[in-house]
Amino acid sequence: MNVDAALADRIRGVVYGHAVGDALGLGTEFMSRSDVQACYPQGLHDYAGIVRDQHRSRWSNGEWTDDTDQMLCILDSLLDKCALDERDVAVRLHEWARKGGRGMGFTTAAVLLDPDYLRDPQKVARRVWSESGKRAAANGAVMRTSVLGVWQFDRADVVAEHAARASRITHADPRCAASCVAVCLLVAGLLEGRVPLGELLLQAASAAGRFDAGVRTCFDRAAGTLESLDLDEGLTEGEANRIGYTYTALEAGLWALSHATSFEDGIGRIVHEGGDADSNGAVAGALLGARFGLAGIPPRWVEGLVGRHELQPRIDRLLELVEHGAASIATPQAHRFAVDALVQRLAGDTTAAELVQQVERVVRYETQGEVPDDEKLQTRLRAGARRPAGRTAIISDIHGNHEGLLAALADIEAQSCDRIVCLGDLVEGGGGNEQVVRTLRERGVPCVRGNHDENNDLRLPEPLQRYLRALPDSMAEGDVLFVHISPLAKKRRIDYAVEAWNVFDECDWRLVFVGHVHVPMIFGERSPVYGEAAVHPFEYNRPFELASDERYIVSVGSIGYGRDRVGRLRYAIHDAAAGTVELRAIEGPLLPLDHAWQR
């Protein structure tokens, strides 16, 4: 990607704008609007004017706070990994918190300092959120994620996915994810500069609304007056305590972006409203920096940043990452950069060498033959990140039944499916474990890891065991999730209406395909019984129509053996274009039923 001078200036503007808004906002943080007027009768225009009370004396004038510290944890991870690696970001955030974490909020501290955090960050974040009664929607995620709008800014779907994933490392509430998605998409759209601001705001509102419909009211409120946003709510006697609310920070940024005539005008007006002003300033500063660029930020604010010399080397590397990350390889420098990036991403993958060889074979054929663009690997990968392929066959729980797998594959071919996805438990049960794994690998079938894949007593060749252990827990495509047992951290089998209801209550996936229980079922979110999902009847080998405004969990059945007396191989076909799911039941060899009763 060609990073010209104007684009480079706007990227610099995002990072510097974030830090400047944070550092200046510290001057009025936790003050009401009347407190700001009393402390700064002439206004706050420079870092040197920040009052040195007990709170603010913890930082030097011109020093940024936790908002930018945490943003830099994300940026440093991007620069090292050349990708969003949530676990690496989590480790960096944890280390920062462990070493003091100056200024971090209560929700962030409760999550990052939990003894189990590094084992499962998202699980801890969900637990902390649940313990709050699912009311805590703090701004600790939205204040740090602006830089994710820079990385791959030309791919809105990727930006949205990354923003939501980075939010859930510490903040499980869907309002937090929606806030992060909105800010990052606006940053990305401003950098790309292809649509007018009004249209960009509409697009961001629509995309963020997928994560929480209530986010759209933030865009409506931000179209009004700044005073109506009540950014200092909770700091005046008689008001409910809403300081640090994620939608307040988002509204501050939206108002500044929509109304400010310059960077200085926007940040100045946001800061003088008080409230959680450093976080509001960081969000607004990143958005205004993307709009006006570094050249639009007053030089005194940039030069007065205490840590500005730490920013420039990072930004230089970020510009290089943006420029070469998706560029064609035409020079030794670009090749070295691309190889370094791939090594960083694949070094921990035990099957990386085999994956690279397979990609090389595919690409070699595509460059030599007449392959339509829509069938090429790169096109298919990008399409897959946005939505499922046309007709997807979904198989699960093969348990070493190689003959049954071959029968299912033959039926799948007869049904004109575009691809196959496997929901795990490839092995342990029948005698064809090695053949099952090799068949799926040779056909390039993407698989998630089942509990028998992760833990078994089989004497498989070590490369095959490594392959099984390296399979992902789940695969997400837009609002569709493929998983073996459950998307919840506490993985209870989804074979009854109460547990399906729990999944709908705690997750926002529109369509979840699961295996593990070996029995085909379709659950819907809308139900007349509180605490229980709807159980939809269906007919085998006939499409079941999915309502566009409903959410579903589909248990696809088993290729290995059933846990009922149907006596047929079963799998599912999802037709994304037609909006249907077909649960197939076909003739073929099953493992003995007594195997099912033993487990």
Side-chain angles (χ1 to χ4, degrees), residues 158-483:
V158 174
V159 169
E161 178 191 352
H162 285 174
R165 283 164 50 193
S167 172
R168 295 181 184 123
I169 295 171
T170 52
H171 291 68
D173 194 291
R175 290 170 290 181
C176 300
S179 303
C180 294
V181 169
V183 169
C184 290
L185 284 177
L186 288 170
V187 168
L190 290 164
L191 295 180
E192 196 168 19
R194 291 200 302 177
V195 298
L197 178 58
E199 185 177 342
L200 178 60
L201 288 165
L202 291 174
Q203 291 177 0
S206 176
R210 247 195 65 225
F211 297 86
D212 180 64
V215 74
R216 294 184 175 92
T217 63
C218 297
F219 288 79
D220 296 335
R221 284 168 52 82
T225 65
L226 180 57
E227 292 75 17
S228 68
L229 299 184
D230 202 8
L231 297 185
D232 66 341
E233 184 179 12
L235 294 172
T236 301
E237 186 175 354
E239 290 183 334
N241 182 13
R242 291 169 66 84
I243 191 74
Y245 180 41
T246 189
Y247 278 170
T248 300
L250 174 60
E251 289 170 0
L254 293 174
W255 189 91
L257 180 62
S258 302
H259 296 272
T261 58
S262 67
F263 186 96
E264 184 168 8
D265 171 54
I267 290 298
R269 297 187 67 180
I270 293 297
V271 164
H272 283 85
E273 290 296 299
D276 201 354
D278 60 335
S279 296
N280 298 341
V283 173
L287 292 171
L288 293 172
R291 180 181 177 188
F292 295 110
L294 176 60
I297 303 177
R300 69 183 188 279
W301 286 354
V302 175
E303 294 165 5
L305 279 174
V306 170
R308 69 185 179 91
H309 296 298
E310 300 176 31
L311 297 182
Q312 194 54 53
R314 288 176 163 111
I315 296 173
D316 289 342
R317 292 175 61 200
L318 178 60
L319 290 171
E320 186 181 26
L321 181 65
V322 171
E323 181 165 12
H324 294 296
S328 59
I329 297 175
T331 66
Q333 179 190 18
H335 177 263
R336 283 194 301 273
F337 188 91
V339 170
D340 287 347
L342 286 170
V343 169
Q344 288 280 6
R345 297 181 67 175
L346 299 176
D349 186 346
T350 56
T351 63
E354 295 177 8
L355 177 63
V356 170
Q357 289 175 355
Q358 188 172 353
V359 170
E360 285 178 340
R361 289 197 298 270
V362 170
V363 172
R364 189 180 303 117
Y365 176 80
E366 290 180 354
T367 56
Q368 295 173 352
E370 295 295 327
V371 179
D373 285 343
D374 61 352
E375 287 297 319
K376 290 184 177 179
L377 173 63
Q378 184 178 19
T379 306
R380 291 283 298 277
L381 284 173
R382 289 192 171 186
R386 292 190 297 271
R387 59 186 182 275
R391 282 174 62 81
T392 301
I394 306 154
I395 61 177
S396 188
D397 296 273
I398 304 164
H399 288 288
N401 183 9
H402 189 242
E403 292 183 4
L405 173 63
L406 295 180
L409 293 177
D411 188 73
I412 290 168
E413 185 173 353
Q415 299 304 314
S416 302
C417 292
D418 298 303
R419 62 164 186 173
I420 304 170
V421 171
C422 178
L423 301 186
D425 274 3
L426 284 63
V427 298
E428 206 170 32
N433 297 292
E434 185 172 339
Q435 296 97 313
V436 165
V437 178
R438 293 193 184 280
T439 295
L440 293 177
R441 291 181 73 193
E442 289 168 2
R443 290 174 175 250
V445 174
C447 304
V448 301
R449 185 175 66 250
N451 51 298
H452 289 273
D453 304 320
E454 185 170 11
N455 298 295
N456 60 70
D457 297 323
L458 300 173
R459 294 184 177 180
L460 292 174
E462 183 56 28
L464 298 189
Q465 285 284 24
R466 288 200 306 269
Y467 165 80
L468 292 174
R469 291 193 294 267
L471 292 174
D473 287 329
S474 62
M475 293 189 299
E477 295 180 338
D479 53 4
V480 179
L481 182 72
F482 302 95
V483 66

Side-chain angles (χ1 to χ4, degrees), residues 94-142:
H94 173 75
E95 280 299 298
W96 168 79
R98 190 179 63 81
K99 293 177 180 177
R102 216 174 13 152
M104 64 179 161
F106 292 118
T107 298
T108 302
V111 175
L112 292 181
L113 298 177
D114 188 282
D116 293 329
Y117 179 69
L118 291 182
R119 293 192 188 95
D120 193 335
Q122 289 85 354
K123 178 180 179 180
V124 172
R126 286 192 296 268
R127 190 183 72 236
V128 169
W129 179 54
S130 294
E131 290 171 352
S132 77
K134 297 185 177 179
R135 293 188 299 271
N139 60 16
V142 70

Side-chain angles (χ1 to χ4, degrees), residues 4-27:
D4 59 22
L7 174 57
D9 185 66
R10 291 197 298 275
I11 290 174
R12 291 188 181 97
V14 173
V15 179
Y16 275 109
H18 187 122
V20 165
D22 178 9
L24 195 66
L26 173 64

